[in-house]
PDB file of all heavy atoms in Angstrom:
ATOM      1  N   PRO K 223     -14.166  29.649 -13.126  1.00 85.00           N
ATOM      2  CA  PRO K 223     -14.439  29.154 -11.765  1.00 85.00           C
ATOM      3  C   PRO K 223     -15.922  29.207 -11.397  1.00 85.00           C
ATOM      4  O   PRO K 223     -16.428  28.304 -10.724  1.00 85.00           O
ATOM      5  CB  PRO K 223     -13.623  30.107 -10.875  1.00 85.00           C
ATOM      6  CG  PRO K 223     -12.549  30.630 -11.750  1.00 85.00           C
ATOM      7  CD  PRO K 223     -13.144  30.711 -13.113  1.00 85.00           C
ATOM      8  N   ALA K 224     -16.634  30.253 -11.843  1.00 87.00           N
ATOM      9  CA  ALA K 224     -18.055  30.368 -11.520  1.00 87.00           C
ATOM     10  C   ALA K 224     -18.851  29.241 -12.155  1.00 87.00           C
ATOM     11  O   ALA K 224     -19.717  28.629 -11.522  1.00 87.00           O
ATOM     12  CB  ALA K 224     -18.592  31.723 -11.985  1.00 87.00           C
ATOM     13  N   VAL K 225     -18.565  28.962 -13.427  1.00 87.00           N
ATOM     14  CA  VAL K 225     -19.259  27.859 -14.105  1.00 87.00           C
ATOM     15  C   VAL K 225     -18.943  26.536 -13.414  1.00 87.00           C
ATOM     16  O   VAL K 225     -19.828  25.691 -13.219  1.00 87.00           O
ATOM     17  CB  VAL K 225     -18.857  27.808 -15.596  1.00 87.00           C
ATOM     18  CG1 VAL K 225     -19.399  26.540 -16.255  1.00 87.00           C
ATOM     19  CG2 VAL K 225     -19.377  29.020 -16.323  1.00 87.00           C
ATOM     20  N   PHE K 226     -17.701  26.367 -13.036  1.00 86.00           N
ATOM     21  CA  PHE K 226     -17.259  25.155 -12.355  1.00 86.00           C
ATOM     22  C   PHE K 226     -18.093  24.910 -11.086  1.00 86.00           C
ATOM     23  O   PHE K 226     -18.598  23.812 -10.846  1.00 86.00           O
ATOM     24  CB  PHE K 226     -15.776  25.306 -12.011  1.00 86.00           C
ATOM     25  CG  PHE K 226     -15.111  24.067 -11.523  1.00 86.00           C
ATOM     26  CD1 PHE K 226     -14.659  23.105 -12.408  1.00 86.00           C
ATOM     27  CD2 PHE K 226     -14.926  23.846 -10.165  1.00 86.00           C
ATOM     28  CE1 PHE K 226     -14.032  21.965 -11.962  1.00 86.00           C
ATOM     29  CE2 PHE K 226     -14.313  22.707  -9.707  1.00 86.00           C
ATOM     30  CZ  PHE K 226     -13.864  21.759 -10.610  1.00 86.00           C
ATOM     31  N   ILE K 227     -18.283  25.955 -10.294  1.00 91.00           N
ATOM     32  CA  ILE K 227     -19.027  25.831  -9.040  1.00 91.00           C
ATOM     33  C   ILE K 227     -20.517  25.657  -9.292  1.00 91.00           C
ATOM     34  O   ILE K 227     -21.196  24.868  -8.617  1.00 91.00           O
ATOM     35  CB  ILE K 227     -18.774  27.070  -8.146  1.00 91.00           C
ATOM     36  CG1 ILE K 227     -17.306  27.100  -7.708  1.00 91.00           C
ATOM     37  CG2 ILE K 227     -19.685  27.052  -6.934  1.00 91.00           C
ATOM     38  CD1 ILE K 227     -16.846  25.866  -6.958  1.00 91.00           C
ATOM     39  N   VAL K 228     -21.058  26.373 -10.281  1.00 92.00           N
ATOM     40  CA  VAL K 228     -22.490  26.248 -10.579  1.00 92.00           C
ATOM     41  C   VAL K 228     -22.818  24.844 -11.079  1.00 92.00           C
ATOM     42  O   VAL K 228     -23.879  24.301 -10.768  1.00 92.00           O
ATOM     43  CB  VAL K 228     -22.921  27.322 -11.603  1.00 92.00           C
ATOM     44  CG1 VAL K 228     -24.367  27.079 -12.064  1.00 92.00           C
ATOM     45  CG2 VAL K 228     -22.809  28.705 -10.991  1.00 92.00           C
ATOM     46  N   VAL K 229     -21.929  24.241 -11.844  1.00 91.00           N
ATOM     47  CA  VAL K 229     -22.144  22.854 -12.298  1.00 91.00           C
ATOM     48  C   VAL K 229     -22.260  21.921 -11.094  1.00 91.00           C
ATOM     49  O   VAL K 229     -23.166  21.071 -11.024  1.00 91.00           O
ATOM     50  CB  VAL K 229     -20.992  22.401 -13.224  1.00 91.00           C
ATOM     51  CG1 VAL K 229     -21.056  20.890 -13.478  1.00 91.00           C
ATOM     52  CG2 VAL K 229     -21.058  23.135 -14.553  1.00 91.00           C
ATOM     53  N   ILE K 230     -21.341  22.071 -10.151  1.00 91.00           N
ATOM     54  CA  ILE K 230     -21.380  21.221  -8.950  1.00 91.00           C
ATOM     55  C   ILE K 230     -22.661  21.474  -8.158  1.00 91.00           C
ATOM     56  O   ILE K 230     -23.317  20.528  -7.682  1.00 91.00           O
ATOM     57  CB  ILE K 230     -20.136  21.480  -8.076  1.00 91.00           C
ATOM     58  CG1 ILE K 230     -18.866  21.070  -8.836  1.00 91.00           C
ATOM     59  CG2 ILE K 230     -20.230  20.718  -6.756  1.00 91.00           C
ATOM     60  CD1 ILE K 230     -17.581  21.404  -8.100  1.00 91.00           C
ATOM     61  N   ALA K 231     -23.053  22.751  -8.040  1.00 93.00           N
ATOM     62  CA  ALA K 231     -24.274  23.089  -7.297  1.00 93.00           C
ATOM     63  C   ALA K 231     -25.504  22.528  -7.993  1.00 93.00           C
ATOM     64  O   ALA K 231     -26.405  21.965  -7.350  1.00 93.00           O
ATOM     65  CB  ALA K 231     -24.391  24.607  -7.151  1.00 93.00           C
ATOM     66  N   CYS K 232     -25.565  22.663  -9.318  1.00 92.00           N
ATOM     67  CA  CYS K 232     -26.701  22.165 -10.094  1.00 92.00           C
ATOM     68  C   CYS K 232     -26.828  20.653  -9.935  1.00 92.00           C
ATOM     69  O   CYS K 232     -27.919  20.127  -9.699  1.00 92.00           O
ATOM     70  CB  CYS K 232     -26.510  22.548 -11.564  1.00 92.00           C
ATOM     71  SG  CYS K 232     -27.835  22.011 -12.658  1.00 92.00           S
ATOM     72  N   PHE K 233     -25.706  19.961 -10.048  1.00 91.00           N
ATOM     73  CA  PHE K 233     -25.713  18.504  -9.904  1.00 91.00           C
ATOM     74  C   PHE K 233     -26.145  18.090  -8.494  1.00 91.00           C
ATOM     75  O   PHE K 233     -26.983  17.200  -8.310  1.00 91.00           O
ATOM     76  CB  PHE K 233     -24.319  17.957 -10.212  1.00 91.00           C
ATOM     77  CG  PHE K 233     -24.154  16.498  -9.900  1.00 91.00           C
ATOM     78  CD1 PHE K 233     -24.615  15.523 -10.760  1.00 91.00           C
ATOM     79  CD2 PHE K 233     -23.537  16.097  -8.715  1.00 91.00           C
ATOM     80  CE1 PHE K 233     -24.465  14.173 -10.474  1.00 91.00           C
ATOM     81  CE2 PHE K 233     -23.381  14.752  -8.421  1.00 91.00           C
ATOM     82  CZ  PHE K 233     -23.853  13.791  -9.291  1.00 91.00           C
ATOM     83  N   THR K 234     -25.575  18.743  -7.497  1.00 92.00           N
ATOM     84  CA  THR K 234     -25.826  18.359  -6.107  1.00 92.00           C
ATOM     85  C   THR K 234     -27.276  18.588  -5.704  1.00 92.00           C
ATOM     86  O   THR K 234     -27.906  17.730  -5.073  1.00 92.00           O
ATOM     87  CB  THR K 234     -24.887  19.138  -5.171  1.00 92.00           C
ATOM     88  OG1 THR K 234     -23.534  18.913  -5.561  1.00 92.00           O
ATOM     89  CG2 THR K 234     -25.076  18.692  -3.730  1.00 92.00           C
TER      90      THR K 234
END
Side-chain angles (χ1 to χ4, degrees):
V225 171
F226 190 82
I227 294 302
V228 172
V229 169
I230 296 175
C232 180
F233 171 80
T234 304

